[in-house]
Amino acid sequence: MTVRRGNTRASILEASVDLFGSRGFAATSLDDIAGRVGVAKQTLLYWFPSKDELLDAVLEQTALELAAVIEAAVRAAADEPLARIEAVVKAVFRPAVRRPALLGLVREVSRLSPDHAERLTMQVQPFVRRATDFLREQMDAGLLRRADPGLVVALAYATVTGIATEPEALRAVEWPATAIGLRRLRGELIAFLLAALRP
Amino acid sequence: MTVRRGNTRASILEASVDLFGSRGFAATSLDDIAGRVGVAKQTLLYWFPSKDELLDAVLEQTALELAAVIEAAVRAAADEPLARIEAVVKAVFRPAVRRPALLGLVREVSRLSPDHAERLTMQVQPFVRRATDFLREQMDAGLLRRADPGLVVALAYATVTGIATEPEALRAVEWPATAIGLRRLRGELIAFLLAALRP
DNA sequence: GTCTTTGTCTACCATGTGGTAGACAGACCT
DNA sequence: AGGTCTGTCTACCACATGGTAGACAAAGAC
């Protein structure tokens, strides 16, 4: 029928993020993705030569997406460190809640081949570097609790990603999955992090 | 040859925790596990009627193991809340580092069927309940920062699990994977959590 | 109007996977 | 010694999955 919507590739990427991120890479078949998109499996293999290269593309796009979000938040925020941290968390929180698979995909990386992990690590490197430098400065200025800046980045990442990608953890403590519950969650998460970082 | 080591079942469970926890359930084949144990695939299916029931057993055993560790730590610790929290984190940290797959498996639950998730949630319920009650008491007594006790449990869980199961995050901040690095990591993790919880 | 390019589809194949059937060897009972 | 039970193995099957080959239809190129 050759509908030629012109966005097949993008649709495939979107569906792939959702499925890889929620079920995991290995548990998602090409047919699953194709079915979700409403297209034949072969069409996927037309746009991406193999499942593995599809994964590459998905990872890269996700990294770019998140990077853009963070970048914008940092630029818009005040220079004061706690405000800046709050801004970043808020910025990440929105897409994370709307599409839990986004961060789920990032987490999935630890399950994948070292190759994929390495590549994503390299891509994230400059952001990490900037964050650690910033934290170190602020710690030196006495505006943040003294700690290893790199580890603080990792810990904050772990906290945000963990809470955003494990709905089971929230269900276990009977947290309401409503809009209000989410806003309160965001507030408590930020309070938690700020308390951990305040001097 | 019928070696009859008497621990085949236990060996299977152990290998399954490692593989399910590190690669993920879907990415692990029965042959993988059998190979690791040094036994034929059919032997697995003799002890566990299906891959799914093997997973059930693995989850249950892991929950029991972790529960025992936490239980012991809580009993041994002083009654002061910060000391108690520190004791629990230290207790969880040891097995988590020695066998990253343990917590990786817990995290894997969010990828599995709601059935499995539900069951594990139920199993963990009493512990969660006790932890939240304890935190609430201590907050009321002014010994901990005022916050939603349930969420604090979830956040602390997310932080510990995240940092323990994502070696990539640590590699990204160039954290040394040595014994000394691990001890310092534990120290910083505890400092991070205590700062977040102190009144 | 023909030709080429682009995007999609329908077979089809090779392989890996979960699971079944049943043989077989040692242990234990009598 | 004979019979049953337990644990392990080999052989096999049905099926899903990633990937290939090639037909086909619409859209430009000229």
Side-chain angles (χ1 to χ4, degrees):
Chain A
M1 224 175 286
T2 316
V3 179
R4 197 170 309 244
R5 284 163 300 174
N7 58 356
T8 305
R9 198 188 131 100
S11 304
I12 293 173
L13 280 177
E14 195 189 324
S16 300
V17 170
D18 288 347
L19 292 173
F20 288 164
S22 59
R23 300 187 200 168
F25 177 69
T28 304
S29 75
L30 292 183
D31 276 315
D32 288 339
I33 302 171
R36 167 83 63 110
V37 177
V39 91
K41 177 176 63 173
Q42 173 52 22
T43 301
L44 302 204
L45 291 166
Y46 170 78
W47 290 102
F48 307 92
S50 72
K51 194 187 179 187
D52 229 61
E53 297 201 35
L54 170 58
L55 175 62
D56 282 340
V58 166
L59 285 178
E60 189 180 335
Q61 197 209 240
T62 303
L64 288 176
E65 240 173 82
L66 284 173
V69 168
I70 294 174
E71 185 77 36
V74 170
R75 266 181 214 210
D79 206 33
E80 201 270 316
L82 294 177
R84 208 150 161 185
I85 290 166
E86 179 170 349
V88 169
V89 173
K90 274 189 182 165
V92 173
F93 197 81
R94 195 183 348 239
V97 163
R98 222 187 9 182
R99 291 179 71 200
L102 256 190
L103 287 185
L105 183 62
V106 175
R107 238 183 42 174
E108 174 80 357
V109 167
S110 62
R111 304 235 129 106
L112 303 172
S113 75
D115 257 33
H116 289 112
E118 175 95 23
R119 190 166 332 177
L120 196 63
T121 304
M122 296 293 286
Q123 215 169 342
V124 172
Q125 197 79 322
F127 286 87
V128 172
R129 177 64 55 96
R130 251 176 53 194
T132 53
D133 286 350
F134 173 75
L135 290 180
R136 187 176 296 111
E137 268 173 39
Q138 304 297 328
M139 285 174 189
D140 288 345
L143 294 172
L144 288 180
R145 179 174 67 83
R146 171 111 264 150
D148 183 285
L151 255 195
V152 164
V153 170
L155 285 169
Y157 158 81
T159 306
V160 174
T161 305
I163 206 66
T165 57
E166 288 189 87
E168 310 308 330
L170 290 176
R171 282 227 356 251
V173 298
E174 286 158 17
W175 190 258
T178 64
I180 288 184
L182 280 178
R183 195 148 63 216
R184 275 198 58 211
L185 167 57
R186 195 184 70 173
E188 295 260 4
L189 168 59
I190 290 171
F192 184 88
L193 284 178
L194 293 189
L197 298 177
R198 232 186 291 272
Chain B
M1 225 178 287
T2 316
V3 179
R4 193 169 311 244
R5 284 163 299 173
N7 56 357
T8 304
R9 199 188 131 101
S11 303
I12 293 172
L13 280 176
E14 194 188 324
S16 300
V17 170
D18 288 346
L19 291 172
F20 288 164
S22 59
R23 300 188 200 167
F25 177 68
T28 303
S29 75
L30 293 183
D31 275 316
D32 289 339
I33 302 171
R36 167 83 63 110
V37 177
V39 93
K41 178 175 62 173
Q42 173 53 20
T43 301
L44 303 203
L45 291 165
Y46 170 77
W47 289 101
F48 307 92
S50 72
K51 193 186 180 187
D52 230 61
E53 298 201 37
L54 170 58
L55 176 61
D56 283 340
V58 165
L59 286 178
E60 190 180 333
Q61 197 209 239
T62 303
L64 288 177
E65 240 172 80
L66 285 173
V69 168
I70 294 175
E71 186 76 36
V74 170
R75 267 181 213 213
D79 206 33
E80 202 270 317
L82 294 177
R84 208 151 161 183
I85 291 166
E86 179 171 347
V88 169
V89 173
K90 274 189 181 168
V92 173
F93 197 81
R94 196 188 342 244
V97 164
R98 222 188 7 183
R99 290 179 71 199
L102 256 189
L103 287 184
L105 182 63
V106 174
R107 239 183 42 175
E108 174 81 357
V109 167
S110 62
R111 305 235 127 107
L112 303 172
S113 75
D115 255 33
H116 289 113
E118 175 94 26
R119 189 166 332 176
L120 196 63
T121 304
M122 295 293 285
Q123 215 169 342
V124 173
Q125 197 80 322
F127 286 87
V128 173
R129 175 65 55 97
R130 251 175 51 192
T132 53
D133 287 350
F134 173 75
L135 290 180
R136 187 176 296 111
E137 267 173 40
Q138 304 297 328
M139 286 172 189
D140 288 346
L143 293 172
L144 288 180
R145 180 173 67 84
R146 170 111 265 149
D148 183 285
L151 256 195
V152 164
V153 170
L155 286 169
Y157 158 80
T159 307
V160 175
T161 306
I163 207 65
T165 58
E166 287 189 88
E168 310 307 330
L170 290 176
R171 281 226 358 247
V173 298
E174 286 157 17
W175 190 257
T178 62
I180 287 184
L182 280 177
R183 195 148 62 213
R184 275 199 57 213
L185 167 58
R186 196 185 69 174
E188 294 260 5
L189 168 59
I190 289 171
F192 184 88
L193 284 178
L194 292 189
L197 298 177
R198 232 184 290 270

